[in-house]
Amino acid sequence: MFSVIEPAALWLLALAVPLLWLMWLGRADLRRRLGRVRLLVLLAVRLLLLVALVLALAGLQVGRPVQATATVFLLDASDSVSPAQRAAALAYIEQALATAEPDDRMGLIVFGARAVVERVAEPPRPISRLDALVVSSRTNIADAIQLGLAILPGAMHQRLVLLSDGGENEGDALVAARLAAARGVPVEVVSLVAERGPDALITALIAPATASAEQMIPLAVQIESNVTGSATVQLIVDGQLITEQPVELALGLNQVSLTTPAGAPGFRQFEVRLVAPFDTQPANNRAIAFTFVSGPPRVLLITVDPNRSAALAAAWRATGIEVTVQAPAQVTANPLNLRAFDAIALDNTPAESVSLALQRALTTYVRDLGGGLLLIGGTQAFGAGGWRRSLLEPIMPVALDPPLREERPDLALVLVIDRSGSMSAPVDGGRTQLDLAREAVYQASRGLSQRDQMAIIAFDSFADTLLPLQPLPDLFTIEDALSRLAAGGGTNIRSGVALAAETIAAANARIRHLILLTDGISETDYDDLIADLRARGVTVSTVAIGRDTDPALERAAQIGGGRYYLVQRADALPQIFLEETVRIANRDLIEEPFVPALALPAPWLRDLGPLPPLRGRNAADQRPIARALLVADDGAPLLATAQIGLGRALAWTSDLSGRWAAAWLAWPEFPRFAANLVAETLPLSGDDRLALDVSVLANRVEIDLIARDERGLPLEVGELRSRVSGVETSFDLVFSQVAPGRYRAVVTIDQMGAYLVQVSATDRTGQPLGNAKAGFAVSYSPEYSRFAANPALLAEIATLTGGQVDPPPTAIFAPTERAVYEVWPITLPLLWLALALLPIDVALRRLFVPWPELTSLSIQRPARRAIAPDAPAPPDPALPAKPARPLTDEERIAALLAAKRRRQRKD
C-alpha cells in the first residue's frame, strides 16, 4: 500500500506535459543535435527525475498490514466502586493479558477525580499491584478516555477498555467518546455495577435564607433509606454540637424537623449528621445549610483600661449596639471567631499590648473577611502607642509620620544600656532584665520616624558601641545589634556615658537626648559628664530597675534636664522607653485646643450641628487611600475612613475619654456620633446596584456579580475585591466580564461546607459602589448518592465508539475491524534516485561521441620495413603536411571554423 503525506504536491506531476512539449516538439534543434534515440532516453531520465522529486515532496510512504493490538485499560478507582468490584476488574485484566501476543502492547490508567497513568503502553506483563494515587471522591470518565487516547501507540490496532460503574460526576464522557470515535478507537466497557448494601443517606437540609436574632430557626432534614431501622440525627451549629434526635427510618423518604435558636447576628452554618448502625456508606450521612441572622451590630471594644472606655461603651449601648469589652490578652487571635463581630474598636491601645498573632488576625478580619476596624486615639495610640512599622499600620487610614514642622524637629537618641552581670537576673516567664532591656530598645525605636537618628551603647566594666549613630535603621539591623548584648562584668556607668557623649557630639539634630538604663550602683562618678552634656544642649533621662539602684541616678536626671524613672515592675520597662521617646520627640501628641472642621459634607455629620472643641490629638497625616471627614485646625485628619480589601477602617485621632474629649462626652449628640462611627465601618450597601447569583453543581461553583445603575442599566465596574470564606478555608476570586454589567468567577471546591462570598466594587472613577454578599453550601460528592452507578452511560459510550458491552477477556487483544498498516517513508531513497539521475541527464546532453568515429578508433598496424637508424621518418600521408612556418592566430581560427563546418555536414 502506498500513501502520501501531502497529496496537493502531486499536482506538480502536471509539469511533465510542458516538459514533453519543450523537449520533443518545441526544440527541433535539440532533436537534430541529439538524435531520436538519445532524445528519448533523455526524456525518460528527466520524467523519472521529476516523478522522484514530486513524490519525495509529497511524502510517499509504503505500508504493510499489521496484526498487533495496543489496548489501554481504564480502571475506575472512585469510592462508588467497591474493593470487591475492583478486584474483579483486575482479574478480568489478567485474563485478557493471558491471551495477548508478544507484539501486542498494553497500558493501564487509574482514575477518580483525575486520571493517572499506572502503566504506559508496553509489552504485556502481569499486574502485581496498583501504585497510582487518585482522589476517589469523584468519577471523571472523560479525563480517563482522553488520557488513554494520548498514550495509545500508532501503527497498531487500538482499543480502550473502560472498567467502571458509569457513575460520572465530573467531566463529560460522551464528548471524550466522540473524540475516540473520530479517531476510530473503540471503547469496550466492562460494567462494575454491584448491588447496593443497606444505606441511609441525607438528601437535603433545608434552612431559611434569613432570620432575626430573636427567632427560632426551623430546619428540615430529608433522609432516604433502603432499609428500616433506628438512627440518630445530630445538629451542629458553627462547629458546635447542639442537639441529638433519635428517629425511626422507614423505607423510602423520611423527613425530620429540627429547631435551633438563631443566636448572634451573622452567618450561621448548620450541619446535620446521620448515625445509623446498619449503614454501609457513611460518606453520604452529612448535609450543610446556612442562614443570615440579622440583628443589631455587635462591636468588640479592645482596651487596656475599661474604666477609661466606659463612656464610649455606654454611648454605643444607648443606641442599641451590642458591646463586648475585652483586654487585648483576652481577644482570640482567630479571624474566623472575630467574624462574629460587625466591628472591632481599639481604644487608646498601645501596640506593645497587642500580640503579633492578634494584629495578623485583625488584618485578615478587615481585608479578607470584610470586618470593620475603629482606631481611637489617645496618649497610647497611633505613633505615641508604638504602632509605627507594626503589622496593623498598613491598614490604618492615616499615616503615622506627619510632615515635619518647625516646632517638632528631628531627634538624635542614644540609648546607654547596662549589661553587667546583675542584668541576667530573671524577672518573669524565664525572661531576664536584659531581655526586657532589649525589648525596651525595640519599643523606643517605634517612637522614632525616618527623620530621626539612633545609637545603642552597652557597658559593664567597659563600654562598646553596638549600633553607631545613624538614621533610623530597619528592624533587622536593630535586632542584629541587640543580639550582641550579653550580660557580664561590673557596672562602670561613667564608661557608658563617656562613649555616649562622644557619639552624640557628632549628631546633626535639633533635639539630642540620652537615655541611661541600669540596675546597679556605679563604680565611678559621672555627674561631671552629665553636666557637660547639658551645657552642650544634650538632655539626659535615667531609668533605674529595682530597689538597689544608684541614688545618684535621680540627681543625674535633674542635672541632665531629663526625667527619672524608677521601675519596680521590670515588665513595664518597654512602655517607659516608648513613652520617654515620644515625650522627648514631641511630635506624636499635640495637646492644643481646637474645634474640628467639616472636610467632606457627610449628611450624618451635618445633622449633628456645631461640634464641641477638643483639647488634643495624635499627630497624623492623611493617606491617599482614605477620605478625611473631619480635620483639625491645621488641616490634619481627625476622622478618616478607608476601604481596606473587603472591609473598612476608621481612624479618630483624638481620644474619646476625659483627657481631650471631655466636652464631647457631655455633648447630647455624643451617643449618636459614636453610633455613626460604627456605621462608617460597616459594609457599604449596594442599594440594589450589586447582586450576587451563585449556582452549585457538585463541586463546581459559578458566581455571577450583576452590576446595575439606578435606572437598571448595566454598570461597568472599575475594581473588584472578593473573598470566599469557609470554616476551614478562604480564598480570593478572579472575576471576568461575560456580558455588560455581568462578571463571573468559577471555582472548584472539594471541601464540604457552607461558604460566604463577599464582593466589594468601585466604578471606573474609583468611587465605591458598595458591597454584596451571598452564601452557598457544598454537599457531599454525588459519588455517594443513590444514583452513583450509571450503566446506561456505559452502553452509550460503547455504541458511540463501536465498542462492546462486557466483551469476553479473550477478545480484548484481537485485531479491530479497521485495517492498520505500518508505513515507511521513502522520501530519502527518492532523493538519492533524483541525485543519481542528475549526472546521467548531464551526460546525455553534453557528452557526445559519433558512432562512425567509434568504429574507426581501431588501429591498423603498418608493415615493418628496415629503416636506418639515422634516416628521418617518412611523412604520414594521412596527416597534413607540416607547415614551413608557425600559423598565425587568424589562420588557426579559420582552420577551426572549417573543421566545424565539415563536422556539421557529416551530421
Side-chain angles (χ1 to χ4, degrees):
M1 185 197 75
F2 295 94
S3 62
V4 292
I5 299 175
E6 298 290 342
L10 298 178
W11 285 101
L12 295 175
L13 293 175
L15 295 175
V17 176
L19 180 64
L20 288 171
W21 185 86
L22 287 175
M23 293 186 63
W24 189 256
L25 300 177
R27 295 288 301 275
D29 58 334
L30 187 63
R31 292 199 310 274
R32 289 193 304 270
R33 185 168 62 87
L34 297 181
R36 183 183 184 87
V37 175
R38 185 186 290 265
L39 182 60
L40 287 174
V41 174
L42 178 61
L43 184 59
V45 169
R46 288 196 172 181
L47 286 176
L48 186 57
L49 180 62
L50 174 65
V51 171
L53 290 176
V54 170
L55 292 179
L57 187 61
L60 182 64
Q61 302 177 119
V62 179
R64 69 173 182 84
V66 295
Q67 298 299 317
T69 302
T71 300
V72 176
F73 296 93
L74 313 177
L75 179 59
D76 190 345
S78 64
D79 288 341
S80 61
V81 177
S82 67
Q85 292 171 293
R86 198 168 297 121
L90 289 174
Y92 179 92
I93 295 174
E94 289 294 340
Q95 294 174 25
L97 292 176
T99 66
E101 299 294 335
D103 292 338
D104 293 335
R105 295 292 180 268
M106 69 84 63
L108 177 60
I109 289 175
V110 180
F111 68 93
R114 294 290 179 270
V116 178
V117 176
E118 171 73 24
R119 185 178 295 182
V120 297
E122 59 184 23
R125 58 186 177 88
I127 301 174
S128 58
R129 63 178 184 178
L130 296 178
D131 296 322
L133 298 177
V134 296
V135 177
S136 59
S137 60
R138 305 278 172 180
T139 300
N140 192 336
I141 297 176
D143 197 36
I145 293 176
Q146 292 172 0
L147 186 57
L149 293 174
I151 69 171
L152 277 172
M156 301 182 75
H157 292 270
Q158 299 177 336
R159 177 182 282 110
L160 298 179
V161 179
L162 173 61
L163 303 100
S164 173
D165 63 354
E168 176 187 53
N169 44 59
E170 191 166 328
D172 193 334
L174 293 181
V175 172
R178 292 187 185 96
L179 178 62
R183 287 184 48 179
V185 179
V187 180
E188 323 284 359
V189 297
V190 178
S191 177
L192 299 182
V193 180
E195 292 289 334
R196 281 181 62 193
D199 189 18
L201 65 154
I202 300 177
T203 57
L205 172 60
I206 303 172
T210 60
S212 61
E214 301 81 15
Q215 75 175 79
M216 299 292 290
I217 296 180
L219 302 172
V221 186
Q222 295 180 356
I223 305 173
E224 185 173 316
S225 178
N226 60 4
V227 295
T228 61
S230 300
T232 302
V233 175
Q234 299 176 336
L235 174 62
I236 300 169
V237 180
D238 293 336
Q240 300 294 322
L241 178 63
I242 301 300
T243 184
E244 294 184 337
Q245 180 174 322
V247 295
E248 288 294 330
L249 297 179
L251 285 174
L253 186 63
N254 301 262
Q255 185 147 333
V256 179
S257 297
L258 301 171
T259 58
T260 183
F267 183 73
R268 297 272 82 79
Q269 173 180 291
F270 306 108
E271 178 183 351
V272 290
R273 295 182 181 177
L274 179 65
V275 180
F278 56 82
D279 197 14
T280 58
Q281 180 54 277
N284 54 22
N285 292 355
R286 297 172 59 197
I288 300 288
F290 64 90
T291 297
F292 286 105
V293 179
S294 60
R298 300 188 66 202
V299 176
L300 173 61
L301 178 57
I302 303 176
T303 178
V304 293
D305 187 353
N307 294 328
R308 186 175 56 197
S309 303
L312 177 60
W316 277 336
R317 292 190 178 104
T319 58
I321 297 175
E322 296 184 10
V323 183
T324 301
V325 180
Q326 290 183 346
Q330 298 175 303
V331 181
T332 175
N334 186 342
L336 296 179
N337 294 338
L338 295 177
R339 195 175 61 185
F341 299 96
D342 299 292
I344 298 176
L346 282 171
D347 182 18
N348 195 18
T349 303
E352 187 257 345
S353 64
V354 181
S355 67
L356 294 179
L358 181 54
Q359 292 185 41
R360 196 174 293 110
L362 288 172
T363 302
T364 302
Y365 165 79
V366 176
R367 191 191 306 275
D368 298 334
L369 302 181
L373 179 65
L374 293 86
L375 301 161
I376 301 170
T379 56
Q380 293 182 305
F382 298 109
W387 286 101
R388 288 189 181 90
R389 300 182 301 283
S390 67
L391 296 180
L392 215 58
E393 184 189 15
I395 68 172
M396 292 184 179
V398 293
L400 302 187
D401 286 327
L404 180 64
R405 300 184 177 191
E406 186 65 25
E407 64 270 25
R408 292 176 179 83
D410 51 345
L411 166 68
L413 178 66
V414 178
L415 304 174
V416 185
I417 308 300
D418 185 355
R419 64 177 180 191
S420 61
S422 59
M423 289 290 288
S424 61
V427 285
D428 63 337
R431 293 189 299 175
T432 65
Q433 293 184 151
L434 199 61
D435 292 331
L436 291 173
R438 294 190 185 96
E439 187 176 344
V441 172
Y442 171 73
Q443 290 296 332
S445 71
R446 300 180 76 165
L448 302 176
S449 73
Q450 298 297 329
R451 300 186 296 267
D452 299 326
Q453 302 174 63
M454 180 181 180
I456 303 174
I457 305 295
F459 69 90
D460 43 30
S461 300
F462 303 95
D464 293 319
T465 300
L466 300 183
L467 181 70
L469 187 68
Q470 58 187 281
L472 181 64
D474 55 53
L475 296 181
F476 295 105
T477 304
I478 296 175
E479 290 175 359
D480 180 65
L482 293 176
S483 66
R484 300 193 297 275
L485 189 61
T491 308
N492 185 357
I493 298 179
R494 184 179 182 88
S495 65
V497 174
L499 184 56
E502 296 177 8
T503 301
I504 206 167
N508 183 19
R510 299 191 179 186
I511 296 177
R512 296 180 294 171
H513 187 65
L514 186 149
I515 301 178
L516 170 63
L517 167 67
T518 181
D519 71 337
I521 300 176
S522 178
E523 302 167 353
T524 55
D525 184 38
Y526 51 89
D527 284 352
D528 57 321
L529 297 179
I530 301 293
D532 183 61
L533 285 170
R534 188 70 183 97
R536 289 187 286 168
V538 180
T539 55
V540 180
S541 292
T542 57
V543 181
I545 304 179
R547 300 181 181 274
D548 299 328
T549 54
D550 194 344
L553 289 172
E554 184 173 6
R555 183 176 68 254
Q558 294 173 352
I559 297 173
R563 289 189 179 181
Y564 169 69
Y565 298 91
L566 177 59
V567 182
Q568 301 293 344
R569 292 177 57 252
D571 56 358
L573 184 62
Q575 186 62 29
I576 288 176
F577 262 60
L578 174 60
E579 292 177 357
E580 174 64 10
T581 304
V582 170
R583 181 192 70 81
I584 201 65
N586 192 27
R587 92 163 46 86
D588 291 315
L589 300 178
I590 305 174
E591 299 195 278
E592 301 169 353
F594 69 97
V595 176
L598 194 64
L600 287 178
W604 67 271
L605 284 172
R606 288 200 314 266
D607 295 343
L608 293 176
L611 301 177
L614 292 165
R615 294 185 297 192
R617 60 186 172 90
N618 296 87
D621 194 21
Q622 183 175 344
R623 296 182 63 190
I625 63 171
R627 297 186 310 149
L629 304 182
L630 293 175
V631 295
D633 51 355
D634 60 354
L638 175 65
L639 175 60
T641 64
Q643 181 79 32
I644 307 295
L646 294 176
R648 295 180 61 78
L650 176 145
W652 170 259
T653 59
S654 186
D655 69 357
L656 290 177
S657 63
R659 178 167 180 140
W660 294 337
W664 285 65
L665 300 183
W667 184 33
E669 296 290 344
F670 178 66
R672 184 179 165 197
F673 170 79
N676 279 320
L677 293 182
V678 175
E680 279 290 329
T681 64
L682 298 180
L684 294 175
S685 174
D687 296 330
D688 297 329
R689 291 181 295 178
L690 299 178
L692 284 173
D693 182 21
V694 183
S695 62
V696 181
L697 180 61
N699 64 339
R700 185 179 187 272
V701 184
E702 190 174 284
I703 303 169
D704 279 8
L705 174 70
I706 300 97
R708 295 285 186 268
D709 61 13
E710 293 78 3
R711 297 171 296 172
L713 298 177
L715 184 64
E716 294 297 317
V717 173
E719 181 181 4
L720 280 173
R721 303 183 184 93
S722 59
R723 191 75 174 175
V724 173
S725 306
V727 174
E728 298 180 359
T729 183
S730 63
F731 51 89
D732 295 326
L733 293 173
V734 178
F735 281 89
S736 58
Q737 189 169 8
V738 295
R742 181 178 287 269
Y743 301 81
R744 178 171 296 166
V746 179
V747 293
T748 299
I749 301 178
D750 292 318
Q751 182 67 38
M752 180 180 177
Y755 294 86
L756 174 66
V757 54
Q758 302 174 91
V759 178
S760 67
T762 63
D763 60 16
R764 293 291 186 181
T765 64
Q767 295 301 314
L769 292 175
N771 290 48
K773 66 179 180 180
F776 62 89
V778 176
S779 187
Y780 56 79
S781 170
E783 190 76 19
Y784 313 115
S785 70
R786 66 183 187 279
F787 303 114
N790 189 358
L793 176 63
L794 297 177
E796 189 171 358
I797 292 174
T799 302
L800 190 62
T801 60
Q804 304 177 62
V805 177
D806 294 326
T810 55
I812 295 303
F813 283 94
T816 63
E817 296 179 357
R818 186 181 182 185
V820 179
Y821 295 89
E822 185 177 7
V823 297
W824 290 278
I826 58 172
T827 300
L828 193 58
L830 289 172
L831 292 176
W832 280 112
L833 175 60
L835 188 62
L837 291 173
L838 185 60
I840 298 175
D841 177 278
V842 175
L844 288 171
R845 289 184 293 107
R846 298 296 182 186
L847 184 60
F848 181 79
V849 179
W851 291 104
E853 293 188 7
L854 289 175
T855 59
S856 64
L857 289 179
S858 57
I859 301 175
Q860 300 292 331
R861 294 181 177 270
R864 294 190 176 186
R865 58 192 179 104
I867 301 176
D870 298 331
D876 190 348
L879 295 178
K882 184 176 180 182
R885 59 177 176 82
L887 297 177
T888 64
D889 292 339
E890 290 81 0
E891 292 172 338
R892 187 178 293 108
I893 292 173
L896 290 174
L897 290 175
K900 181 178 180 182
R901 284 192 294 270
R902 286 195 303 271
R903 175 65 57 85
Q904 289 176 348
R905 282 196 298 271
K906 290 180 180 180
D907 293 341

